[in-house]
Amino acid sequence: MNPRTLPQRPLVGRLAPSPTGVLHLGNVRSFLLAWLSVRSRGGKMVLRIEDIDGPRVRTEMIDRTIEDLRWLGFDWDGDPVIQSMRRALHDAAADRLLDAGRAYPCVCSRSEIEEAASAPHEPVDAPPDGPIYPGTCRGLYASLEEARSRSGRDPALRFHVTRTSEPFDDLFLGEQRGAVRGDFVIRKRDGSPAYQLAVVVDDADQGVTEVLRADDLLTSTPRQLLLYRELGLSAPRFAHVPLVVGSDGRRLAKRHGDTSIDHFRGRGVSPEQIISHVARLAGLAPAGASARPEDLLDNFDLAATPRAPVVGEDPDFES
């Protein structure tokens, strides 16, 4: 069948916060753009709490995050999904890749990988998403059990990358070369799924067709597209928007002051003020406006979003 004649899948987007801390203005801006992009076209929105980031996850933040999103005026279809409850799906996908010879056991420690990457024959500058794995364990062990018994370590699983790029058309940035640098982890040494695998499995299972997120995850996209390909899953379209940064040009963080929603709520700032502020950062509302997310639907245009990072620290809210 000609791909042009394939039936179009229903539009489904997602909000996918990680409960490693409270929501801040940068999170809300990305969520607002993702929500508006889908809701303005009559699409479905799902909420998934991505709580697999090991010790960084604060379980008490799960309910807080959901409540903050509701307070800000976001809605979604169905009940929130907790990613850690989907472990069986993640394990099945990892096992499929292992059985197909597309993944292999790896017992290398982080320090060993960093040491290999900094050897004299390697480039001095590491890529932004970490050192390139040199392939030390590729083809070394016939099974997880052999890797464990020979090394005395619990092995991770790495995806065997055979393509140097996975080009894609970004809905905001346009055509991307999609460079893929080295084999990457799909299951950690403790048996939990790595981010790259978990989001692919969950987005496919939930029927997600559009993922809008900040461009710090741009380098993850070609890796995820490779996994979609190897697992025989339909990939969503991706849109990557610039980060919200501090006045020093660095990603918004505690060093720029408290920009958490919890902080602003404690000061008596209204949800309309917060949404209006992040809408201005996204080029969607004029100064002095006051709005809920639904007020921005009719005139939403992703192309209005600034192409460069925007400064979002220390907003001048009048409580």
Side-chain angles (χ1 to χ4, degrees):
M1 181 181 293
N2 188 318
R4 295 178 182 274
T5 66
L6 290 174
Q8 187 174 6
R9 293 188 291 162
L11 176 61
V12 181
R14 45 90 152 168
L15 304 176
S18 179
T20 55
V22 292
L23 295 181
H24 59 69
L25 294 176
N27 303 138
V28 176
R29 176 176 176 261
S30 295
F31 294 154
L32 179 63
L33 288 170
W35 188 90
L36 289 171
S37 180
V38 169
R39 288 303 201 204
S40 66
R41 291 175 286 158
K44 176 182 175 181
M45 180 64 68
V46 298
L47 173 63
R48 184 173 68 241
I49 304 297
E50 298 193 333
D51 63 335
I52 61 169
D53 196 9
R56 295 183 63 229
V57 169
R58 297 164 56 188
T59 55
E60 72 274 13
M61 286 293 103
I62 294 177
D63 288 341
R64 173 82 65 83
T65 297
I66 294 172
E67 201 278 325
D68 276 345
L69 288 170
R70 286 198 176 107
W71 179 78
L72 287 164
F74 294 109
D75 69 347
W76 48 86
D77 298 282
D79 295 328
V81 168
I82 307 300
Q83 191 168 50
S84 61
M85 303 298 290
R86 303 168 65 79
R87 176 73 174 268
L89 290 175
H90 307 147
D91 284 344
D95 290 341
R96 280 179 57 194
L97 294 170
L98 179 63
D99 293 342
R102 301 300 292 122
Y104 59 88
C106 174
V107 298
C108 296
S109 68
R110 182 182 297 272
S111 61
E112 288 168 342
I113 296 170
E114 291 173 349
E115 182 178 355
S118 62
H121 61 279
E122 295 291 341
V124 174
D125 295 326
D129 50 354
I132 299 173
Y133 181 66
T136 307
C137 290
R138 190 188 306 139
L140 192 59
Y141 304 109
S143 66
L144 291 168
E145 293 73 20
E146 181 184 336
R148 187 175 293 109
S149 63
R150 285 177 52 188
S151 68
R153 300 175 177 178
D154 289 324
L157 273 185
R158 283 188 183 272
F159 181 75
H160 183 190
V161 174
T162 57
R163 301 164 63 95
T164 58
S165 66
E166 185 69 18
F168 64 99
D169 182 19
D170 190 280
L171 293 169
F172 184 75
L173 298 174
E175 294 293 334
Q176 299 295 303
R177 187 167 65 89
V180 186
R181 297 180 175 90
D183 300 347
F184 56 90
V185 172
I186 58 171
R187 187 157 66 197
K188 303 174 188 176
R189 295 176 65 177
D190 64 3
S192 63
Y195 168 77
Q196 308 292 4
L197 179 69
V199 296
V200 165
V201 170
D202 291 341
D203 281 343
D205 183 66
Q206 294 183 271
V208 172
T209 59
E210 179 177 299
V211 173
L212 189 154
R213 57 193 182 186
D215 61 8
D216 58 329
L217 288 170
L218 183 62
T219 57
S220 287
T221 302
R223 296 178 177 184
Q224 292 167 17
L225 289 171
L226 286 176
L227 292 175
Y228 279 107
R229 178 193 297 274
E230 291 299 330
L231 290 167
L233 302 173
S234 297
R237 297 291 305 278
F238 290 90
H240 293 86
V241 296
L243 285 170
V244 178
V245 299
S247 56
D248 57 1
R250 300 168 68 187
R251 180 176 181 161
L252 204 62
K254 289 182 179 178
R255 61 181 170 269
H256 301 117
D258 196 340
T259 61
S260 70
I261 304 309
D262 190 59
H263 168 69
F264 296 126
R265 290 185 70 170
R267 285 175 45 191
V269 177
S270 70
E272 291 83 3
Q273 287 175 290
I274 294 173
I275 291 298
S276 297
H277 175 70
V278 297
R280 288 196 295 276
L281 295 180
L284 303 177
S290 181
R292 300 283 282 179
E294 62 266 26
D295 299 328
L296 303 169
L297 286 169
D298 289 344
N299 297 315
F300 174 71
D301 182 3
L302 183 60
T305 302
R307 312 294 293 188
V310 292
V311 176
E313 66 178 279
D314 195 24
D316 184 20
F317 290 128
E318 295 180 5
S319 57

